[in-house]
Amino acid sequence: MRESVVQRQLQAYNDKNIDLFMECYSEDVKIYDFPNTLAIEGQEAMRERYHKLFESYPNMLATVDKRIFHGKYVIDHEEITGRLEGAIIEAVAMYEIKDDLITKVWFLKGD
């Protein structure tokens, strides 16, 4: 179950399908810049932010080259292209899963 929701949200992200993307998250989702800076709280704020992101970067694509499972957590090492000309953005995302929904996300951004 852990893998399916994280994989579904990754596919929806790459497809820029905001509705399928949001179906993967709980109503009270919280997104943090690691370790504890709250960046987004709740589905409404998240939908608004990601809808703008999807519209602004139609060629954006995230790939996962490493995925770790640990209890209720899934940790992905991601590479994102299509946002900065010719650049690859590296990030680590840690997802907390409950009842097959993502409830919290922590992002560790690379330099």
Side-chain angles (χ1 to χ4, degrees):
M1 278 220 171
R2 298 174 297 174
E3 182 175 17
S4 64
V5 71
V6 172
Q7 189 58 39
R8 283 195 321 266
Q9 69 86 37
L10 177 67
Q11 187 61 52
Y13 178 96
N14 284 336
D15 291 343
K16 316 302 177 288
N17 186 328
I18 191 67
D19 292 327
L20 287 178
F21 184 71
M22 295 308 303
E23 284 178 12
C24 298
Y25 292 87
S26 67
E27 285 294 322
D28 59 346
V29 62
K30 291 180 176 66
I31 299 178
Y32 297 90
D33 292 328
F34 188 83
N36 59 5
T37 302
L38 184 62
I40 301 173
E41 184 171 9
Q43 275 224 4
E44 186 176 327
M46 185 177 177
R47 177 180 287 274
E48 183 178 324
R49 173 90 53 95
Y50 278 85
H51 181 71
K52 287 179 185 174
L53 186 68
F54 292 169
E55 284 187 338
S56 298
Y57 302 102
N59 297 319
M60 181 176 60
L61 184 70
T63 57
V64 173
D65 66 348
K66 294 177 188 155
R67 180 169 280 165
I68 299 168
F69 300 95
H70 185 75
K72 64 182 178 179
Y73 299 97
V74 177
I75 304 165
D76 282 352
H77 178 261
E78 302 175 350
E79 293 185 345
I80 302 154
T81 58
R83 285 185 64 181
L84 302 171
E85 187 66 36
I88 296 173
I89 300 169
E90 287 190 63
V92 173
M94 183 169 69
Y95 302 93
E96 182 179 276
I97 312 301
K98 182 178 180 187
D99 298 327
D100 201 33
L101 291 173
I102 299 167
T103 59
K104 293 180 184 170
V105 183
W106 292 265
F107 284 110
L108 289 78
K109 297 180 180 160
D111 296 333

